[in-house]
Amino acid sequence: MLELRNVSKSFGQKQVLQEISLHVANGEFVSLIGPSGSGKSTLFSLIGGLLAPDAGDIYLNGEEITNKRGFISYMPQQASLFPWRTVIKNVLLGQELQGKKDHKRAEAMLERAGLGDVIHAYPHELSGGMKQRVAFIRALLSPQSLMLLDEPFSALDEFTRTDMQKWLLSIWEDYEQSILFITHSIDEALFLSDKIIILSVNPAGIKEVIKVPFNRPRDGDLLLSEEFLQWKKKIIDVIQV
């Protein structure tokens, strides 16, 4: 699926990323965590082709995509829906740009997300959680096999955020696209991921890769289990070293 080989990036005299090598397998959910300023968003820009690395190569499904665009779908921190497009037209945007639209599948996914009654509504008529669900479905419907999610729930309140995490898992487990997910929340990374990549800072390198041991499907009770808290402590210890 996705492979980064010794990717480095500097801005002027400041080196942000140093020889980053990582792998995301087909259907795998991988989270990136690390201190603010550790280069997580820069890494996304490199994978998406918005920036070119100073050194290293990026591959997707065996094809080199270094400094090439159009190979990934992306969901930012804010929903970034077009205000003049209805919900159904927003979620079909990625497919539309590729020259094809699957209305039936889009409507079925919106119905599954509890948005069946608002498919013809506009973004200003939706709550924050509803907007994020629309943005996620738009990314999921895009034809690319890899999704990059950049702290998509950070602006939500705690209760809505927990609901969105559970909802995301329930939808993703049906479609099993590969996801690379940025978060500052250890709880969120542990609950959602198959694998967690911990970044250092100044410049960013990979401190450790942790295989998450929890079986799927997962539910909210996991967050309160002793095993979950033990793994959370292990990750905190790695970050603080």
Side-chain angles (χ1 to χ4, degrees):
M1 171 51 73
L2 176 70
E3 185 178 3
L4 274 65
R5 301 178 185 173
N6 300 313
V7 170
S8 297
K9 181 65 180 177
S10 298
F11 295 101
Q13 299 299 312
K14 181 177 175 59
Q15 185 164 12
V16 179
L17 302 173
Q18 183 174 27
E19 296 186 347
I20 298 287
S21 294
L22 62 83
H23 180 263
V24 179
N26 189 39
E28 192 173 35
F29 196 124
V30 178
S31 286
L32 288 170
I33 62 175
S36 295
S38 59
K40 298 184 292 295
S41 294
T42 299
L43 198 57
F44 268 24
S45 295
L46 291 168
I47 295 168
L50 301 177
L51 295 173
D54 300 330
D57 301 297
I58 302 170
Y59 291 83
L60 185 67
N61 296 320
E63 178 182 353
E64 185 176 0
I65 61 166
T66 311
N67 203 27
K68 296 178 182 178
R69 303 183 185 185
F71 289 87
I72 57 96
S73 60
Y74 174 68
M75 181 178 171
Q77 294 180 25
Q78 303 299 323
S80 300
L81 304 177
F82 288 115
W84 60 87
R85 294 178 73 107
T86 61
V87 166
I88 186 68
K89 289 184 178 179
N90 264 291
V91 301
L92 285 169
L93 181 61
Q95 290 188 345
E96 187 178 314
L97 293 173
Q98 298 293 323
K100 61 177 183 179
K101 293 185 286 186
D102 189 342
H103 279 269
K104 184 175 292 187
R105 186 181 181 207
E107 289 177 5
M109 291 180 68
L110 287 168
E111 185 70 36
R112 169 80 185 276
L115 298 169
D117 294 335
V118 296
I119 64 172
H120 300 300
Y122 289 88
H124 73 271
E125 300 175 271
L126 307 179
S127 67
M130 293 168 76
K131 290 177 184 177
Q132 291 301 92
R133 279 181 276 168
V134 173
F136 179 72
I137 291 173
R138 178 178 60 190
L140 195 60
L141 278 169
S142 295
Q144 295 86 353
S145 57
L146 175 68
M147 297 174 61
L148 305 184
L149 307 185
D150 189 354
E151 294 192 85
F153 308 140
S154 60
L156 302 176
D157 64 78
E158 184 176 354
F159 297 106
T160 305
R161 181 173 181 153
T162 300
D163 286 342
M164 287 298 299
Q165 291 166 0
K166 295 174 184 176
W167 175 83
L168 185 154
L169 281 184
S170 71
I171 296 292
W172 170 76
E173 286 168 356
D174 283 347
Y175 293 91
E176 293 188 339
Q177 282 183 275
S178 301
I179 291 180
L180 189 58
F181 186 92
I182 289 177
T183 179
H184 283 98
S185 169
I186 296 172
D187 285 26
E188 187 168 65
L190 273 173
F191 183 59
L192 296 175
S193 309
D194 298 305
K195 184 169 69 182
I196 298 172
I197 297 172
I198 301 174
L199 297 179
S200 60
V201 69
N202 296 325
I206 294 178
K207 291 184 84 171
E208 192 162 335
V209 178
I210 293 176
K211 181 72 174 177
V212 177
F214 309 126
N215 294 327
R216 300 188 185 276
R218 298 174 187 169
D219 60 40
D221 291 341
L222 174 64
L223 294 162
L224 301 175
S225 69
E226 184 63 30
E227 186 181 10
F228 187 92
L229 296 176
Q230 289 173 356
W231 276 97
K232 181 177 179 179
K233 184 180 184 305
K234 289 180 184 179
I235 293 174
I236 292 172
D237 290 343
V238 171
I239 292 172
Q240 290 180 341
V241 170

